[in-house]
Amino acid sequence: MSRLYDTVEPSVIDDEMLRKAVEEQGPKEEAGKIAKQEGVDYCDVLSLRLDFRNILKVDNLWQFTKLTKLQMDNNIIEKIEGMDALVNLRWLDMSFNNIEMIEGLDKLTKLEDLTLFNNRITRLENMDSLPNLHVLSVGNNKIDQLDNLIYLRRFPNLRTLNLTGNPVCDDQGYKLFAVAYLSHLVYLDFRLIDEDTRQKAHSLYENKLGELMHNEKQAEVAIEAEKKAAQELLKHKDAYVEHLNSPVLFESMYKEDPEGMKLSMLPGLQDMLKDFQDKFVEVCMKIFEFGMKEYEKRCKEMREFNTCIQDAEAANKRQAVAVIDAFEEYKKKLFAELLVTSDAEIQERKMNEYHEGVNETWDKIMGLEMQLVDQLEETIKDFERNMTDLMSQLVEYIQGLITQVRDLENSHNEKLLEMCMTVLEKVVKNEMDEELPDDLRMLFVDKDTIVNAIGASHDVHLMKIDNREDEIVTRSGAWLSGHMQKIHADECARNRARVVEITNYIDHLRDEIDTQFMP
Amino acid sequence: EYPESYKDNTNKEKLILAYVENYRRQYVHLFRDRKPLFLNPLNECGIEKFVCTTLRPTLLSYKALYHWQGCAEFVADYLTMKQLEPPQELPMCLFSPSTILKRQLGNCFDFSNILCSLLLGAGYDAYVVSGYATKEICLADESRQICPLLQPKKEVLKEAEKPEPRKYTVKPPRDLRSKFIIKMEARRKKEAEEEEKKKQQEEEERIAELEKPPPDALYGLRIHAWVLVRGGKREVPEDFFIEPFTGQSYPPSSPSFLGIESVWNSTNYWANMQNCASGCKDMSFDLMDTEKWEYMLAGSDQTQIEIPDAEEELYDLDDDEKENEDEKHLDMPATWVLPICVTKNQYEMRCPQGKKTTLYKKAKLEKYANYLLKDGLVTRLSVYDNNELTDLKRVQESFENREDKLTTRVHQGGLITEDFVEGRPRSLQQHVYKASNPGPEAERTMTFFHKARNKLRVDGLCKREETPTEMTEHFVNRDDFLFLRHVLFGKRQKKVAPATAEGPPRPILKITEKFHRNDALSASKDVEEQIFIIHEDKIQITYHREDPNITASTRDFYKPPNAEEKGGSLQWSNDMTNTFQVNPHGSPAKNLAIYENLLQLIQTEQKSIQAVRSSEEEVKEILMDRQKEELASELAISVYDTERNEKAKKHRKELERLAMEEKLRRQEMEMDYLAPFLAQIGNPDKISKTQAFKLKEDCLADLKQRLIDKANLIQLRFEKETSELHKRQQDYQQKQVAMTKEDEEQYFNYCSEAMFRIHILELRLNRHKQMAPHKYMQLEQKLRQDPRLSVYF
């Protein structure tokens, strides 16, 4: 029950409270003793109970990263907060508090059981990031709208729902509404939903539900399509030819070109422009297709490289493991022999033999590692060379095509100039048959103005084309160097890890015999 | 004894015999130096019959007889062979298949005749062949042949697909060995191999020389008959021979068959025109080829000479003429033999008396019919080390219909291997054990049925190998990823125990358990191998290797003594464990976790020990079951087997008996309608004419009286009912006003009931009137036909 503030002293979650709770709820007996001796890390605690403690504000829980169960019922908490670190939480109980709003649960994506019984919640909201929700208990709250139930449709795993004691339950159609709209539900308000109710609810809300489902489905399809398009675009971007399969580049040329726009109103230019655009887009399409083809080629090359590297590593690992297994076998036998002999001289000899064996093993596995490093280095070099070739091919070819685009623009420009000259002549001689729009007429005052306008338009167009070219060149170059760097770095890290592992293992072998058989 | 067709020839048969005689004369005239053809031997009644009409294509209703293998095996098993006497002359007689099957005895021609009939019935393109063969074939002597059951199966060599060379495959490390030395080594090896090969070859040749059959004085003269199956029908790819005595197939190139005189089946007869100097190797079996085969009946559709396209037109022109010509051809007369029939019992008995023994090279095969022997044995193959069949090497027994699902048992080298089919409790599949020590705790291997997806046993056990001191169990598809458990047993403590009680279980020294990788856990926490060294109170754990790592983390525990005792908690000290962690930078595990791990391991150890004990128990139980089953050796009888299923048989007999009784009873029940009238005249043995007339008169009069009585009775009732109704109606008319509602209702009820009754009576009366004359006529008819009176009417 909610308590009045002035009657009880509110407390905060502090280290002492946490330590006490962890200790109390931790292991008992001998295990408890050990735990006390070495202390328990908060990050290892799996479940924590902080009930009946008059906590007002949730805080200081950031260390409990592995926590799966948290009970904070019967406190005076007013706001759900400070739990963003508890990403592994599955079970959260905050019943009998003073919470007014559901919030702050966005990071708890693994949550399955949420209890907010007896609070002051008015709406079901802000739970979109909890797809695994199984059990939801929000009884004795202030939820009064049936629409809140529709919000719960997004939880496909929700089986148990408790809403008793909310104003909404007074609604006559509440139960049937809940059953109809939440068809996965098994238990509602502490009761199993029987087949009878289910059917009744279904027949009652069939039409509305059908409509809703239809809408939901459509939304789903739309999202799916969007996702697919985004993926496709990503792929195009990786190929550096995004939007080149559509007239986007062409349109962008005219977008930032006021003169060009004006000029396009010129009578007789429309056809020319159309022709220009068709040719332009055709070349762009060529670039796009080539880019995608090259992209596929690159992907294939990378796949092949990766599988080969993996194969080589796996083969090398097998060899090393065989060496180690053989030595372990030998070690077992030797230890067994050492245990039974008491002759110091034999022991001495065996120990020496063992150490020699350890050295030999070290030689062998280190040798294998060195061999692998050499092999991989060579292969990576090959790969780098091939990739560089591929990239330069791509860039050269695309540059060739872009030159075509530029030529198109140039010839278009010349034609335009010619046309404008004739128009200008006509305008000057007042022989114009058709009326020109005013802003266009403004350009045809003298030769300089029109030439300047056409020149400006041309410059903008060329700049756009140049920019696109530069973008392709720089992006492809950056990707290649980044990718190769990553490969080198990965290989380096792998090698270091392996050497550390080998050294660690060899040290362990040396220690082992000493600790076992040295007096 | 024999039907008419056996004792005489029809006109058509006579005609064909004349035709045959003509053919024979021409043949003898043309080929003076060739042996006579086998054309028209005598049958069992001494009548000449053409060989083609002795065939009768038959398809018997047994599944195995739908394939040539089954047919050949059946004929070879069912009949006892009799060699030709003398071996270089054609027999005088050829009996009908039905006679041969009855006698179960025949020569090669009888065998081939029946086999060919069956094959033709099953749709094969089969022919009887008369020719010459080696002594071994003629005498069905297989002692120089390898038993077909022992012939090594041809393994289909699957070429390992070479991985495609990849672009980035790493280069192998440099080979620093001397090329010259390797070369020399290889050369030396090759030489040694060749030497070995040569020696082996020589040895083989020597053995082959020794095993060669002694020279035969009658080589090439011994007459034999066998069956030719030509390719084309029933998906037979190419021609082959079937030797009827053994049921074996041979390619036409086989050196055992030395020559062919003629072939025939139920449609035609062909004499061979090809040279047989090199056996049947290069012989063509294209019977259409008139150069190579001389046919007897031109009209038979099989011999229709294929007409080249060029001549087709020519034939088209005189189509009518050709048809006329066709009609003139003589076709084969119908067969004279009785249908071939084999009853189920005969079929199942197979060999005469149900037993057959065949000798092969270094092997002896005994066959028994199903259900003949009490333990279900059907074949026993004994393999010997020498040709005299004295040095027994291996015995392979197959069983059929065993209640305990045993299918084969092989004795070899002191080991017994028993195979079972699916369906036993505990899913036992194979059991290998030492013949000298079949008891528990001895060397043995048990294999259990298991499937890739769903295990048949709950514990997923698929194999258990045992020696006196060790036991290894293999598992599949277990939820805890365990796939191997190996147990090392120690020697029993010698104790003075009472002889009757079973000794204490063997002490367990060590249990090793291995696990597959559980992907749900991280590799450093997923146990790969756990070893419980029980006598040292030590537990060794090895974890799985993390993906790129080559070493695995290990952890050893030293248990304080009596750790498994319940009650008192385990005291912890740091020297109880020893850990090697692969990643030196990773944070070491907390003592608390290790302690909990230890507690859990102690429990696991107890469970493992229990599992081992129950395994031992299971072995004992299986052995006990096996012993019991072997003693009982019961055979399973299918519910569909009406002959052997005693219970069903009894039930059926009982039903038959009941039906019979019922019938008898009904017969007794049937009354003699003349009895009272006969009694009136004192039941005379013989009825005189006047008596008969009187009887008839009386009988009919009686019936008439009864019919009238009945009609009167119905009429009376009808009237009574009508008058009653009438009375009530009048009554009602009078008192209608004063009646209570209840009475009124009662009255109406009565009325409707009465009307119903009247209606029924009326119907009955009408019907009676209709039926009465019929009944009268019927009785009269019956009297006329009555055996006692019929003499007079």
Side-chain angles (χ1 to χ4, degrees), chain B residues 775-787:
Chain B
K775 278 185 183 166
Y776 190 80
M777 296 293 277
Q778 256 177 4
L779 184 65
E780 195 177 5
Q781 191 73 21
K782 209 169 177 185
L783 282 167
R784 270 180 202 286
Q785 282 163 0
D786 192 282

Side-chain angles (χ1 to χ4, degrees), chain A residues 30-31 34 38-39 41 301 304 308 311 317 321 324-325 371 375 378-379 383 386 498 501 504-505 508, chain B residues 166-171 173 545 547-551 570-572 580-582 584 590-592 595:
Chain A
E30 179 71 15
I34 299 167
E38 60 179 359
D41 287 341
E301 198 82 2
E304 200 151 295
C308 284
D311 286 354
K317 181 181 165 178
V321 166
I324 288 171
D325 280 349
Q371 179 193 318
Q375 286 172 335
E378 200 167 323
T379 309
F383 177 64
N386 287 341
R498 174 60 56 84
E501 188 192 348
N504 181 31
Y505 177 64
H508 163 73
Chain B
R166 286 225 180 85
K167 207 167 169 185
Y168 294 109
T169 306
V170 294
K171 292 190 181 75
R545 292 179 168 88
D547 190 29
N549 286 352
I550 52 172
T551 54
L570 188 65
Q571 296 298 312
W572 173 255
F580 165 62
Q581 203 168 326
V582 169
K590 291 244 173 190
N591 280 342
L592 179 62
Y595 176 73

Side-chain angles (χ1 to χ4, degrees), chain B residues 221-235:
Chain B
L221 295 175
R222 287 179 189 271
I223 283 181
H224 191 58
W226 63 93
V227 172
L228 159 72
V229 179
R230 285 186 59 206
K233 279 190 178 172
R234 290 286 312 268
E235 296 175 357

Side-chain angles (χ1 to χ4, degrees), chain A residues 282-468:
Chain A
E282 196 184 313
V283 180
C284 281
M285 205 59 206
K286 261 192 207 161
I287 298 176
F288 175 78
E289 272 161 17
F290 182 76
M292 286 314 284
K293 213 173 75 197
E294 284 292 299
Y295 172 70
E296 294 297 331
K297 239 191 209 168
R298 274 202 304 281
C299 284
K300 198 178 151 232
E301 198 82 2
M302 271 174 350
R303 270 200 303 273
E304 200 151 295
F305 171 73
N306 285 339
T307 44
C308 284
I309 293 287
Q310 275 162 13
D311 286 354
E313 281 173 5
N316 193 277
K317 181 181 165 178
R318 272 198 299 278
Q319 285 176 342
V321 166
V323 170
I324 288 171
D325 280 349
F327 186 77
E328 287 285 333
E329 201 62 31
Y330 161 76
K331 186 178 89 181
K332 253 185 212 166
K333 232 162 78 189
L334 187 88
F335 280 13
E337 279 170 18
L338 278 174
L339 269 177
V340 288
T341 51
S342 51
D343 189 340
E345 199 179 314
I346 294 178
Q347 269 191 0
E348 180 77 32
R349 212 181 59 227
K350 295 246 166 174
M351 299 265 264
N352 286 339
E353 216 173 80
Y354 176 81
H355 281 292
E356 258 169 46
V358 171
N359 288 340
E360 203 180 303
T361 309
W362 186 84
D363 270 356
K364 273 187 197 159
I365 42 184
M366 259 329 199
L368 279 171
E369 173 56 19
M370 288 301 118
Q371 179 193 318
L372 182 65
V373 167
D374 285 348
Q375 286 172 335
L376 291 189
E377 199 178 356
E378 200 167 323
T379 309
I380 291 172
K381 248 188 224 156
D382 278 355
F383 177 64
E384 190 166 6
R385 198 164 43 238
N386 287 341
M387 282 311 264
T388 318
D389 286 356
L390 270 181
M391 275 304 185
S392 57
Q393 256 175 41
L394 170 80
V395 168
E396 265 169 41
Y397 191 79
I398 287 184
Q399 274 171 340
L401 286 174
I402 284 189
T403 314
Q404 278 183 31
V405 174
R406 224 175 265 131
D407 289 349
L408 278 178
E409 167 61 26
N410 284 336
S411 71
H412 173 72
N413 186 47
E414 270 166 34
K415 274 187 209 160
L416 184 64
L417 200 61
E418 214 171 279
M419 195 171 173
C420 284
M421 284 302 122
T422 47
V423 172
L424 183 67
E425 255 170 53
K426 279 183 189 168
V427 169
V428 169
K429 289 179 185 165
N430 252 339
E431 286 174 0
M432 207 54 196
D433 308 336
E434 300 143 71
E435 272 303 305
L436 292 174
D438 284 345
D439 46 356
L440 186 58
R441 181 159 279 256
M442 291 296 287
L443 293 175
F444 289 96
V445 281
D446 55 27
K447 197 179 174 185
D448 282 352
T449 324
I450 187 71
V451 167
N452 280 345
I454 290 170
S457 162
H458 184 51
D459 285 349
V460 169
H461 292 180
L462 284 181
M463 195 187 74
K464 275 276 158 196
I465 293 167
D466 287 351
N467 281 352
R468 192 76 183 87

